[in-house]
Amino acid sequence: QTCALPIVDCVLNNLRKIAYDSDKETKATMGMIMPTAGGKNQREAYDLIRAFLNLCNQKEKAVGARSKKMGTLFIVNHLFKLAIRINLLRGTALFIRSVDNPHFP
């Protein structure tokens, strides 16, 4: 039932890592030290993953309720990791409330 979950997790993980590495490389070529807050590419990756989460939540059809819930939790996990790295902690409150919601997928 959940055969696509490892693929989605791998794709999102690679997206996060590529965004981090490209920001790190950009800062290195400019001769700057990597700041604590993330760069432009990490912010764009955050926006892409958030859009993917919205798309998954709009889908009514899923293989199973457990499959949809686990997929959503994988996506939220990656969003937390990016939000902390780019210092966007105010965005995490929305994800916490959505996961605590009794009508969570």
Side-chain angles (χ1 to χ4, degrees):
Q1 288 182 344
T2 59
C3 63
L5 290 182
I7 296 168
V8 169
D9 188 44
C10 182
V11 168
L12 296 180
N13 192 29
N14 286 338
L15 177 65
R16 276 189 319 104
K17 287 181 180 179
I18 290 169
Y20 174 74
D21 289 342
S22 65
D23 281 341
K24 187 176 175 184
E25 187 174 318
T26 300
K27 300 293 181 186
T29 57
M30 296 176 139
M32 300 169 63
I33 298 173
M34 185 69 175
T36 55
K40 176 183 158 201
N41 294 326
Q42 290 180 57
R43 177 64 188 200
E44 289 177 3
Y46 176 83
D47 291 338
L48 279 172
I49 296 174
R50 193 176 61 191
F52 186 70
L53 175 67
N54 291 337
L55 178 70
C56 289
N57 284 338
Q58 290 174 358
K59 294 256 185 207
E60 293 294 325
K61 227 176 188 180
V63 176
R66 180 167 167 75
S67 173
K68 185 174 181 180
K69 186 171 188 167
M70 288 303 295
T72 306
L73 287 174
F74 276 132
I75 298 167
V76 168
N77 182 33
H78 288 290
L79 282 170
F80 270 116
K81 290 177 183 177
L82 268 172
I84 290 169
R85 186 165 298 234
I86 62 175
N87 202 15
L88 190 66
L89 298 180
R90 69 182 188 283
T92 59
L94 177 66
F95 304 131
I96 292 170
R97 279 193 302 249
S98 68
V99 170
D100 281 344
N101 187 357
H103 302 291
F104 183 70

